Amino acid sequence: MSEPVRYQVRHQTVYAYGSEVAHAHHLLHLAPRATETQSCEDFTLELLPQPGEIGTHVDAFGNQVTLLELDRPHDRLQVTARTLVQVLARERPDPAASRPWEQVAEGLAYAPRPIEAPWLEAARFRTQSPFVPIKSVIAKYAAPCFTAGAPLLSAAAALMQKI
């Protein structure tokens, strides 16, 4: 396997309000999460103005969330995140060797029983998002890529190519 790669990332967002805000609450989702192939070596936030309260927690998907409370009047918020991330190379799976998509869909389908360990991580992502509703037009668009017995990764690659 190849050597790890380090990325130094700087992300800045500036909110300029149309008028002064007396009190504000914000949730920041900027810290990279640790995975088998990624580790965050350093993460800092620079906030202007400084919040009166700041806290962190980990959400249901394993992401760090930073909570800010700005308790004095301000008309601008500047958030700068600086991150040093190390990424390890991954072996690329053979798409043709992946499970048939129907088997994966069945494994992720709701059932009134405990979810088996291999399916647990993916099951958290199976529900509809209020931001991206599932529409039948999307299923119709994707259907030609998901032919009977097609390996999941091959079908997903075909859909990405179609998009």
Side-chain angles (χ1 to χ4, degrees):
M1 227 182 255
S2 60
E3 290 295 314
V5 177
R6 285 192 169 82
Y7 294 97
Q8 193 168 19
V9 181
R10 178 183 173 270
H11 172 92
Q12 185 173 68
T13 301
V14 178
Y15 299 95
Y17 307 118
S19 61
E20 198 169 70
V21 176
H23 200 118
H25 293 266
H26 296 274
L27 297 177
L28 309 179
H29 297 83
L30 295 171
R33 75 178 174 147
T35 66
E36 290 178 14
T37 58
Q38 174 178 287
S39 61
C40 180
E41 296 181 354
D42 190 38
F43 176 75
T44 59
L45 279 176
E46 297 168 16
L47 306 163
L48 293 172
Q50 279 297 118
E53 295 285 330
I54 188 166
T56 61
H57 74 269
V58 176
D59 71 11
F61 300 101
N63 301 304
Q64 180 179 311
V65 180
T66 304
L67 300 89
L68 307 179
E69 180 181 3
L70 296 157
D71 55 359
R72 61 182 178 268
H74 61 287
D75 61 2
R76 185 174 193 268
L77 172 62
Q78 181 175 307
V79 178
T80 305
R82 295 179 194 280
T83 309
L84 181 60
V85 178
Q86 178 176 277
V87 180
L88 302 174
R90 291 194 257 186
E91 271 191 49
R92 185 170 248 169
D94 176 11
S98 62
R99 296 178 186 199
W101 72 267
E102 300 96 336
Q103 185 181 36
V104 175
E106 184 179 315
L108 291 172
Y110 174 77
R113 58 174 160 57
I115 297 171
E116 296 175 27
W119 301 102
L120 195 55
E121 176 69 16
R124 297 187 302 168
F125 301 96
R126 71 180 176 200
T127 58
Q128 179 170 299
S129 163
F131 303 107
V132 184
I134 298 171
K135 303 277 186 182
S136 61
V137 70
I138 296 170
K140 287 178 188 172
Y141 181 80
C145 303
F146 289 81
T147 57
L152 176 64
L153 295 180
S154 294
L159 179 57
M160 288 185 277
Q161 188 65 40
K162 184 176 181 177
I163 292 170

